[in-house]
Amino acid sequence: MIRAFPSSRVSVYSIPTPHGSEQAAGQESLRIRYCPSYQGRGLCQKYCFFKQMRLCFRRRWFLGILPTFSVTVTVIVLVLHYSFSPAFSFIYIGGSVEIPNLTYTNDLNDPKSQKFLSQAEAIQNYFAELYESSSWGKYYLKSVVAAFSEGECGLRAYYWSTFWAPQDMVTSLKKLPPAEQKEIGSKQATHIFNTSGEEDFDLVTMELFVSDSTEYDVMLKSAVSFDLYTKPGNNRTLTLMNPKKSFYQWRLRVPSNYVVRLVVITLHGVTPESCASHHLSAYDFLLPLQNKIITRWCGPGAWAPPVVRLTSSSNVMLLTFSLDRTEASSILKAHFQAIPKIMCGGHYISWNGTLSSPYYPSYYPPNIDCSWIIRAPLPGYKLSLKILIIQIQEKSPGASKCDKDWLEIDGVRYCKALSENNRNREYGYSVAINFHSDELVTHKGFYIEYKAFSHTDRCKPERLNCGDGKCKHQHKTCKDDDSCDEDSEENNCSYKSCSPYAYKCLNGKCLLKPNPECDGKRDCADGSDEMNCACGRHQLKKNRIVGGEDARSGKWPWQASLQMGVHGHICGASVISNRWLVSAAHCFLDSDSVRYSVPSGWRAYMGLHTLNEKSNRVAMRSIKRIIVHPQYDQSISDYDIALLEMETPVFFSELVQPICLPSTSRVFVYGTVCYVTGWGAIKENSQLAKTLQEARVRIINPSVCNKLYDDLITSRMLCAGNLNGGVDACQGDSGGPLACTGKGNRWYLAGIVSWGEGCARRNRPGVYTKVTALHDWIRQNTN
Ligand code: ARG
C-alpha cells in the first residue's frame, strides 16, 4: 500500500519572517498519514472531511493530564492590528483541538465549573509548552480554551493563542491572500507540533485566515455568554430583550452526528448606520472567526424574511449579537435544534423529480460539496431542468466565473439569480449537477425541477413506447406479456426485470430510490432491503483509549490475509459472511513452482493487525473451496474475482466482522472517498508492510480511467486512486478490499484490488474488480 508520500516523509516549512529569516525547521520532517473517511459518522473519523487536521502524537508528560495520543487541530490565524505600539502588534491564532479519549459532559458546558477549568488548564499548559519550544516561542503570550463541544471521538476544545509580534511581520501576513494565509497556518501548526518531537501524527489539511477584526477583543472583554446544548427532538429558545450590554454570544451545541439548525424568528432594532458595531452574526464554529461566518445581518432591509433558518456544517454554531450601547430597544428571538447530518448527492434515475441544496429551504451549510447524476430511465429520453430558485453566494467582484459558491449543471456554473427565460434548459440522457459552498456566507440555496421527455414519444410519461402503438409500464419490456399494459393497475403487475439501476426487492419489486439497502428505512414492502445489514461496521467504540499503533487494530475487521505455508502472505481478501471470503481470481493462478489453485495450501488469517502476529484473538481458517469466476480472463484481468469457502465458520468478534456487499444498483459516484487496505508493498518493487496499511483514495471517473489505460477498463472494473500518483495499492494488496461508506454508516465492498501499471504512478490509478457488477454471481455462489 502506498500512501501519498512514498518515502512517507516530507519536509516542513516554517513561517518566513519579513526579514527572510527562515527557521531551521527545514531539516525536520514528519510523517503524513491518511485519516479515515468522513462518511463513517461516529466512527471517529469525520474531521478529515472538514479539512481539519489530525495530529496524533505521543507526549509522555501529557499523559497524566490528558491521557491521549491523538489530537485534531484547526488553526485559524487572525491578525489584529493594534495601534498602541508602533513596533509590535497582537496576533491571534484560533482553532480547535480534539482529544479522542475524553468525553464531553454537561459540566464542560459551564466555563465556571471545576471540570471546565481544570480541563482547559491542561490544554492551555500543553499549548504553552508546544509553543515555547517552537520558533514562535519568542512571540507567544498565552492560550485560552474558550469552549468545549462533543467531538467525533472525544472532546473538542476551542482555543485561541495570543502572540505579540513585530509589526512588519503582522503587516506582511495581513497582505497575503486568504489562500496563502491558509497555507501558512497549516505549515505553522505542522511545524509547532513537529518541533515538539512528536512523530506519529496524522495530518490532513488546515485552515488559516488573517483579518483586521477586533471581534476577539470585544468578545474577550465584555461578552455575555450563553452556553447551550440540545438533543434531537427539542427546540431551545434564545431570547434577548432590551439588552444592556454591547456583546452577547450564544454557543450552541448538539450531539456529534447532528448539525445545528438555527431559526431566527424576530430581530428588531438592527439599525442601518451601525453595521460595524451593531449586527447579528452566525458562525460555523464556537469562536467568532472571520472565515467562519455563515451570515450576518445589519443595515436596513437586512431583515427581510420573517423567519430565517441556518444550518451549520458540524455540531456547533455561534451566534453573536453586537450592539451600540445606545440601541437598547433591540429584540432577538430564535431557537435551535439538532438535526441529523445529511449526506448530499447521489444518482437518480427518474421520470421527474426535484433537487435542492442541502436542507433547503434552510440556508445550506458552509463548506460542502455535493454531486448528483440524474438520468432518464430509458435511452432515447432527454432531461429538462428548471431552476426555480437560486440564491447562493455570488462570485467575487471582477471574477470571471463563480468562485465562491456555485451550482454547476452540465459543466456550467451558476451563482446568481436567473431571468425567467434562462431558468429552463434541455440536456441529454443524463446530467451531472454539482454544488459547492465555501467556508463563508451561505444563503437559501437552490431548488430545481427535472423531468425526462422525448420529442417522439406519445405515450404518457413513465410509460414505455413499444413502437407497436402500445405503451407499457416502464419496468416492463415490450416483450412482456400484456396482462399489465397501460391501463392495468401497476400493483397487480409483478415486475419481471428491474432496470440495471433499480434495486430489486426479494419479492421482485423494483425501487427507483438510489441505494435503498441498509439505510435504516424500509423501502421494499417485504423489508428485504433492510434484511442483510449486519455488516460493514467496525466495533471500535467512541471514547475508548485510542493511542499508539494498536489503536487502529480492529478498524478494518473484514480484512483477511491469505497465506500459503513457507510463502507467507500472498494476497488479501474480505470477509463477507462467517463462511465466505472474497478475493481476486489472479491470486489463484498456478505458477511453474506453486499450485496456488489448490485450496488445501491456503490459510486465511482474520483479525490480524501485524502480519506475523500471534494472538488468540486472531482467527485462522483452512480453505475448503475456491470458486474462480468462470469468465475470469487473465489476459486482461476481466472478472478478477474469486470466492473462498472456509473449512469451518469464523466467529465474529471485535476484530472480525463482515463487510457489506453492495447490491447491483448501488452507485459509488466518482469522487467518493474510499479506503484500500492491505499488507502489500509500501512502494513499487519493495517489501510487504508489517502492519496493516490504509490509503485514502477517490473513485475515478470510468471514462477518464479508460482513456488513461487505452480502453482496457471493462465494466467489471473500477478505478480509484489519485491521478497525481503517490497513493495506491501495490503488490500483495491484491484480493483485498476497497471499502466505501454509504448511508447508515456502513462500509461496502466497492472493489477488489486487481491491477495497475506500477504502483502509485501519476495518471496510472489502481484498478479494482467492480463488486456491484458481480453481486448476483457472488450471491448465487455463496447462498
Ligand atoms: N496485482 C497486484 C497483486 O497481486 C496488485 C496490483 C495493484 N496495483 C495497483 N497499482 N493498484 O498484489
Side-chain angles (χ1 to χ4, degrees), residues 505-557:
C505 302
L506 215 56
N507 63 12
K509 286 260 160 78
C510 306
L511 300 177
L512 280 182
K513 173 178 170 179
N515 304 338
E517 80 266 43
C518 302
D519 67 351
K521 283 194 209 77
R522 189 181 162 119
D523 299 296
C524 297
D526 59 4
S528 52
D529 58 312
E530 296 297 317
M531 255 149 66
N532 290 309
C533 300
C535 59
R537 284 192 166 158
H538 61 57
Q539 309 285 300
L540 298 177
K541 297 230 173 50
K542 271 180 107 173
N543 306 327
R544 269 188 76 236
I545 300 211
V546 182
E549 301 250 278
D550 295 343
R552 287 158 192 272
S553 133
K555 204 158 98 190
W556 311 105

Side-chain angles (χ1 to χ4, degrees), residues 571 586 728-734 753-760 766-767:
C571 270
H586 79 258
D728 195 4
C730 201
Q731 263 50 49
D733 289 322
S734 275
V753 178
S754 177
W755 62 279
E757 190 183 308
C759 300
V767 185

Side-chain angles (χ1 to χ4, degrees), residues 561-580:
S561 159
L562 298 181
Q563 309 195 359
M564 205 178 213
V566 290
H567 307 287
H569 171 94
I570 311 270
C571 270
S574 308
V575 178
I576 56 163
S577 73
N578 62 357
R579 280 204 300 144
W580 290 94

